[in-house]
Amino acid sequence: MLRLIMTTLSAGAVLTSAAWGSADNAPSPNPMPNAGESIVFDVYRDGDKRMGTHAVHFEQDGDDLLVSVDIELRAGLGPITVFRYEHQSTERWREGQLIGLNAETFKDGETYRVQAQTTNEGLDVEGETPDAGAISLEFPLSVLPSSHWRGYRTGAYDILNTEHGSELDVTVDYLGEEMLAADGASITAHRYRLSSDLTVDLWYDENGRWAGCQFEARGQTIRYERRADPLRG
């Protein structure tokens, strides 16, 4: 098995110093959600062609916050499915840090599994990638996952790819405040751009909750529209 060890101290320093941008007037860090909250998106391609849902649910387990992510996307020609993507994961958070992860992703006809747990040195992650097969990495406890609901600091650093368990080198920029179609209306939201192998635009509402997403994939524009304000249900 391939063993990849990240430098815990230096990576942690990058994440800590990549604060929620004062120079670019980015808002304060997103608060942790409350148990019982849910964020549910309808996912569209090329305008109004609905292709599935992306849901995030939050529950309390003692001192820990459990975050369940369920993504089901399909695209087809009539009754024939030509694209299918599914992702289910459970994140365990304690005192604002990710301490555990179990994930399974079905993509391009293959299934990938990720498991993560804390050790004395950091977050130990076992994953699978299309190119390298099974991998094992160690991340700092300050690492952020690629599940988007938590939001990201501005700057350049590594995050945990929850599809494969690999490190994802990203640059995050704050693009400002704008109006966004969400919750059956138009809301004020803060827009960020996460640039890596894929460029993803993310929006967070004035309460810090994830409110929208858009990116280009396989020549199509993929757009998320939130069904309801998670604080109102």
Side-chain angles (χ1 to χ4, degrees):
M1 181 179 294
L2 176 65
R3 181 72 181 178
L4 301 175
I5 302 297
M6 297 173 62
T7 305
T8 302
L9 292 178
S10 62
V14 170
L15 284 164
T16 302
S17 63
W20 290 78
S22 56
D24 56 9
N25 297 316
S28 299
N30 292 351
M32 294 297 284
N34 302 310
E37 286 186 28
S38 293
I39 303 173
V40 181
F41 296 97
D42 289 307
V43 183
Y44 299 90
R45 62 186 178 92
D46 284 347
D48 60 356
K49 298 176 183 176
R50 188 176 181 276
M51 62 183 302
T53 58
H54 184 144
V56 187
H57 303 288
F58 304 93
E59 297 295 338
Q60 201 71 32
D61 182 24
D63 293 332
D64 299 344
L65 179 71
L66 297 183
V67 184
S68 300
V69 179
D70 187 1
I71 308 171
E72 295 189 6
L73 305 177
R74 283 177 172 78
L77 297 172
I80 301 174
T81 298
V82 296
F83 170 80
R84 176 183 162 204
Y85 177 93
E86 296 179 1
H87 174 89
Q88 288 80 37
S89 66
T90 300
E91 302 171 8
R92 181 176 290 272
W93 291 75
R94 183 179 301 162
E95 298 180 350
Q97 290 185 326
L98 179 68
I99 64 167
L101 170 68
N102 284 284
E104 182 172 296
T105 303
F106 179 85
K107 180 174 67 171
D108 295 328
E110 300 290 339
T111 299
Y112 303 95
R113 295 176 178 86
V114 177
Q115 290 187 323
Q117 60 183 0
T118 54
T119 67
N120 292 332
E121 298 179 351
L123 186 70
D124 193 25
V125 180
E126 306 287 333
E128 299 174 293
T129 72
D131 297 329
I135 60 171
S136 179
L137 298 87
E138 189 174 278
F139 288 84
L141 289 176
S142 54
V143 71
L144 296 172
S146 63
S147 45
H148 300 333
W149 65 267
R150 183 72 175 96
Y152 300 99
R153 305 169 178 89
T154 55
Y157 49 92
D158 292 328
I159 64 174
L160 169 59
N161 182 335
T162 56
E163 285 187 354
H164 298 295
S166 55
E167 58 182 321
L168 188 62
D169 184 15
V170 301
T171 299
V172 180
D173 296 301
Y174 177 58
L175 303 185
E177 185 180 292
E178 60 188 45
M179 302 305 293
L180 175 71
D183 311 339
S186 183
I187 68 169
T188 301
H190 299 277
R191 184 177 184 176
Y192 290 80
R193 177 159 292 164
L194 189 152
S195 302
S196 186
D197 297 337
L198 184 72
T199 298
V200 180
D201 283 359
L202 299 162
W203 287 262
Y204 298 87
D205 66 22
E206 294 196 302
N207 293 310
R209 270 48 175 188
W210 186 21
C213 176
Q214 183 170 298
F215 57 92
E216 301 289 328
R218 306 187 185 198
Q220 300 184 78
T221 299
I222 309 300
R223 177 178 61 87
Y224 282 34
E225 186 167 326
R226 194 173 71 181
R227 291 184 181 177
D229 185 337
L231 293 181
R232 297 180 182 178

